[in-house]
Amino acid sequence: MKPPYEYRVQLPADYDPGKSYPVLFTLHGKGSNEQDLLSLMSAAGDSFLLIGIRGDLPAGMGYQYYELQSIGNPVRSQFDQAVSKLEAFMDWAETQYSIDRSRRYVAGFSQGAILALTLAHTRGDKLKGIIALNGYVPGFVKTDYPVGPHPERVSAFVSHGQFDQVFPAAIGDETAAYMKTLTDHVTYRTYPSGHTVTEANRRDLLQWLEQDRVSSAI
C-alpha cells in the first residue's frame, strides 16, 4: 500500500525490528519540506524513530498540506482532507516500522503546528504528545470537530514568538489556553523572536520531549 504522503525516515542507530520505539512525526510549515523539522529534531534520533511528512501541495519552492483563503483561514475542504490523510499515514507507518503505540508524538511548525494541535483535539487516544511551534487551533476545529477520546492523556509543548509577524503573540496565549481545556499536561513557552524557532526554543523542546519520553516509560 502506498503511503498517503511522501516522507523521510530517520531510524535510531540501534534499530531492531524486534523491538518497539517511540515515534515522532514531524510536520513542516508552508513552503518548506519534510527535511526541515527532521533537522530541527535530529538530536532526538537516538531515542526516537523520526518520520518527516511532506505536504502534497506545491507552495513556492516547497510544499504545504493545504492552501489558505487568507492568513489564519484554511481552505476547509483541503484542511479536512489533510487531517484525514495524516491520521491514515500514522496508521500506515505502524505497518512498516516498529512503533511503540503508547509513545506516539507529533511536532509541527506553523501550518504543521496547526495540524498537530488539531490531531491532539481529534486523536487524543492515539497520541502521547505534541509539539506545536507558532501555530493555532482553527475556530472550525473547536466548533465542528468532535473532541476525540482521552485528550487529557496528551502532553503538549506549545511555544510562540513574542514578535511573530504572521500569528501575533496573543494567538500563542489563546492556543495554550485552549489546550489547557483539553489536558492538564501543557507546557507553554514564549521567546523573543518572530515566526521562527530559536536555539533556546529548540533546546527547550528537545529537553521536554526527552523528559516526557522517559516519564512515559516508567
Side-chain angles (χ1 to χ4, degrees), residues 71-143:
I71 294 295
N73 187 20
V75 174
R76 175 66 185 270
S77 60
Q78 293 180 346
F79 186 91
D80 292 346
Q81 185 178 51
V83 173
S84 295
K85 289 177 69 173
L86 286 170
E87 291 175 345
F89 184 96
M90 292 165 62
D91 291 339
W92 173 87
E94 291 182 0
T95 70
Q96 307 297 309
Y97 301 101
S98 298
I99 291 173
D100 180 347
R101 295 185 178 185
S102 68
R103 291 189 288 174
R104 289 176 286 205
Y105 295 79
V106 178
F109 172 75
S110 192
Q111 189 176 99
I114 294 165
L115 289 165
L117 290 159
T118 301
L119 289 170
H121 179 102
T122 62
R123 281 185 70 123
D125 59 329
K126 298 288 184 73
L127 295 177
K128 176 61 184 73
I130 65 161
I131 296 170
L133 312 170
N134 293 65
Y136 66 93
V137 182
F140 62 78
V141 169
K142 298 175 183 177
T143 58

Side-chain angles (χ1 to χ4, degrees), residues 154-173:
V154 178
S155 300
F157 180 95
V158 179
S159 68
H160 213 87
Q162 295 166 0
F163 309 112
D164 191 323
Q165 68 277 23
V166 180
F167 305 139
I171 290 178
D173 298 340

Side-chain angles (χ1 to χ4, degrees), residues 153-210:
R153 297 178 183 175
V154 178
S155 300
F157 180 95
V158 179
S159 68
H160 213 87
Q162 295 166 0
F163 309 112
D164 191 323
Q165 68 277 23
V166 180
F167 305 139
I171 290 178
D173 298 340
E174 292 169 6
T175 300
Y178 179 73
M179 286 304 299
K180 288 175 181 178
T181 69
L182 299 179
T183 174
D184 292 333
H185 310 294
V186 178
T187 297
Y188 179 46
R189 302 278 171 78
T190 62
Y191 300 89
S193 62
H195 197 67
T196 188
V197 180
T198 67
E199 181 56 32
N201 193 171
R202 177 178 178 271
R203 184 175 59 249
D204 289 347
L205 71 86
L206 287 171
Q207 182 181 47
W208 174 90
L209 183 63
E210 180 62 13

Side-chain angles (χ1 to χ4, degrees), residues 5 26-30 33-34 52-57 63-67 78-79 81-82 86 109 111-112 115:
Y5 287 109
T26 66
L27 307 175
H28 59 77
K30 180 181 173 70
N33 60 47
E34 71 279 15
I53 305 174
R54 181 201 299 174
D56 57 348
L57 300 173
Y63 302 89
Q64 59 187 335
Y65 302 95
Y66 56 85
E67 295 176 319
Q78 293 180 346
F79 186 91
Q81 185 178 51
L86 286 170
F109 172 75
Q111 189 176 99
L115 289 165

